[in-house]
Amino acid sequence: MRRNLIKQLLPPATIGIVGGGQLGQMMALAAKSMGYKVGVLDPTPDCPAAQVADFQVQAEYRDQQAMLELAQRADVLTYEFENVDLASLEAASQYAALPQGTHLLAVTRNRLTEKNFLKSLGVPVTEFAAVTTQAELKAACATVGVPSILKTATGGYDGHGQHDVNTLADLTTDLLPGACILERRQPFTKELAIMVTRDRNEHVRTFPVVENKHHQHILHETIAPATVAAAVKAEVVQIATKIAQGLQLYGVLGIEFFLLPDGRLLVNELAPRPHNSGHYSIEACNLSQFAAHIRSICGLPIPVITQVRPAVMVNLLGQHLQPARTRWLQRPDWYLHDYGKAESRYQRKMGHITILTDDPVQTQAQLQAEKIWEDQ
């Protein structure tokens, strides 16, 4: 039986975004280009999203009254990160539509819940085990095996809250910060990703399959599309469609995969929002991931997603931003996105560059020759 269709909202309806970082900023820019009004909840004054929004509710994310204020001033709510207070969102949904619901967040904010959800769908994942004590960690190493990665169940991103367990000698007594998951480390040949969404009529739309390259657990480059066999791309799309339907998805979802040497695919992580690996779509696709997200939560139709031209996206961390700004004067083919964050810090995401190219391999070599990213 078809679910009730989500409400259609046309401009100049107001979209409330919980979170004011770069993802919120790019959501807001997409929404504003369509004629929507945008409000942002974020504790930082003049945060990136607030710089392009109509108003900001400046408060901590845990402030339920602030969440209610945002909802009362908006027609629909969305979010740009996982660690949103679910009770506050539920309370706010009495004032503004919440097409994504809270189940999506409840599943994806906890790595153990996420892995069990994927397993319930029959989606392939690495071996894993829940760990809360030192004894459970030792037992898990025996069943899951080593080398493995110990991750906090919640709160980790860009490598935070992760510890490599290469041998049993790595099992120190201070290794457990709380509830964790032990995951078998996989000898992958490539890291792949895909963005997926659904429209009001439950049509699943997928973006191209891309290859990601990480340095120090932070995404460095995205190559779009990925150079993999057509059968691999078809399987990625099939898995993404199954996950989107299983979650009854609205909004955009990012899915990261490991491609193993024998050709098998494993799902690594889910992101219940636009994702760094989809930034290339702003210039390279007929519809960006941010525009697709806005269309989905506002109940608008979403066309079949096509890539206009191959692209390479490279992140700008704190140590890269100023050299890239200077070099941009001589690089007219660079689409430079500067997020406008007040404080530039080492390893902090400050912007990105996208280059449309017919030769992604050569473009990657040219980027490396710039020596801006040498610390990587």
Side-chain angles (χ1 to χ4, degrees):
M1 180 180 294
R2 180 178 291 276
R3 297 197 311 151
N4 291 332
L5 298 180
I6 65 170
K7 185 177 180 181
Q8 287 185 309
L9 293 170
L10 294 174
T14 299
I15 299 169
I17 303 174
V18 181
Q22 65 267 23
L23 297 179
Q25 182 187 69
M26 288 181 274
M27 281 186 203
L29 287 169
K32 292 294 292 179
S33 73
M34 300 179 202
Y36 290 98
K37 304 296 184 184
V38 176
V40 175
L41 170 62
D42 194 278
T44 304
D46 200 35
C47 60
Q51 293 169 23
V52 298
D54 294 280
F55 67 89
Q56 177 182 4
V57 177
Q58 188 180 332
E60 295 295 331
Y61 300 123
R62 292 169 293 186
D63 186 333
Q64 187 167 111
Q65 283 304 119
M67 184 79 76
L68 293 177
E69 179 186 344
L70 178 69
Q72 289 167 344
R73 299 175 66 180
D75 298 291
V76 62
L77 292 179
T78 188
Y79 43 80
E80 66 141 22
F81 66 101
E82 287 87 329
N83 295 315
V84 181
D85 183 68
L86 299 185
S88 294
L89 265 184
E90 287 282 7
S93 66
Q94 66 183 301
Y95 298 109
L98 186 64
Q100 294 164 275
T102 55
H103 175 66
L104 175 63
L105 279 177
V107 168
T108 57
R109 71 192 303 172
N110 185 295
R111 289 187 170 104
L112 187 61
T113 305
E114 181 177 285
K115 283 288 194 296
N116 282 320
F117 168 76
L118 292 170
K119 195 173 178 180
S120 74
L121 289 181
V123 171
V125 295
T126 190
E127 295 88 347
F128 67 94
V131 173
T132 55
T133 67
Q134 195 70 18
E136 288 176 347
L137 178 56
K138 289 182 179 179
C141 285
T143 56
V144 173
V146 292
S148 294
I149 304 175
L150 183 69
K151 302 178 180 179
T152 54
T154 61
Y157 67 96
D158 286 347
H160 298 288
Q162 298 188 22
H163 300 277
D164 291 329
V165 181
N166 297 307
T167 69
L168 295 181
D170 294 326
L171 302 183
T172 59
T173 56
D174 61 348
L175 200 58
L176 285 170
C180 292
I181 181 172
L182 187 73
E183 299 180 1
R184 174 78 179 183
R185 190 190 304 159
Q186 295 292 337
F188 58 85
T189 58
K190 288 186 177 183
E191 294 179 88
L192 304 178
I194 192 170
M195 306 305 302
V196 60
T197 188
R198 289 195 322 162
D199 67 14
R200 179 174 182 264
N201 294 307
E202 302 182 0
H203 297 136
V204 175
R205 304 300 192 202
T206 56
F207 284 78
V209 180
V210 303
E211 179 182 354
N212 285 339
K213 295 185 177 182
H214 289 79
H215 290 149
Q216 299 180 40
H217 299 289
I218 300 176
L219 180 61
H220 173 53
E221 276 185 341
T222 296
I223 298 94
T227 306
V228 293
V232 171
K233 292 182 179 180
E235 186 177 355
V236 168
V237 170
Q238 181 183 38
I239 292 172
T241 301
K242 179 184 288 189
I243 294 171
Q245 291 171 335
L247 287 168
Q248 296 184 323
L249 177 69
Y250 289 107
V252 163
L253 177 77
I255 309 174
E256 296 180 315
F257 294 79
F258 292 138
L259 178 62
L260 303 187
D262 61 4
R264 288 185 298 131
L265 286 164
L266 299 179
V267 172
N268 179 33
E269 289 185 350
L270 306 181
R273 49 170 171 75
H275 188 266
N276 198 169
S277 60
H279 288 354
Y280 75 94
S281 63
I282 296 172
E283 287 83 23
C285 294
N286 64 323
L287 193 72
S288 77
Q289 64 167 340
F290 302 100
H293 182 85
I294 298 302
R295 287 191 183 212
S296 180
I297 65 170
C298 289
L300 304 182
I302 301 174
V304 173
I305 309 297
T306 58
Q307 186 166 354
V308 179
R309 197 173 172 198
V312 175
M313 187 285 304
V314 59
N315 269 330
L316 296 173
L317 306 182
Q319 62 270 31
H320 310 141
L321 183 60
Q322 192 54 51
R325 283 172 173 165
T326 302
R327 196 68 51 80
W328 188 31
L329 296 172
Q330 290 83 40
R331 300 291 182 269
D333 59 329
W334 286 8
Y335 291 92
L336 188 146
H337 295 255
D338 187 329
Y339 303 146
K341 294 181 179 179
E343 183 183 0
S344 180
R345 297 195 303 268
Y346 180 76
Q347 297 294 84
R348 186 187 193 193
K349 291 177 182 174
M350 300 298 296
H352 72 269
I353 291 169
T354 298
I355 301 174
L356 302 182
T357 174
D358 295 322
D359 191 340
V361 173
Q362 183 184 40
T363 298
Q364 291 173 75
Q366 290 170 342
L367 285 168
Q368 186 174 1
E370 300 283 358
K371 301 191 182 300
I372 292 172
W373 295 272
E374 280 189 329
D375 67 300
Q376 296 285 352

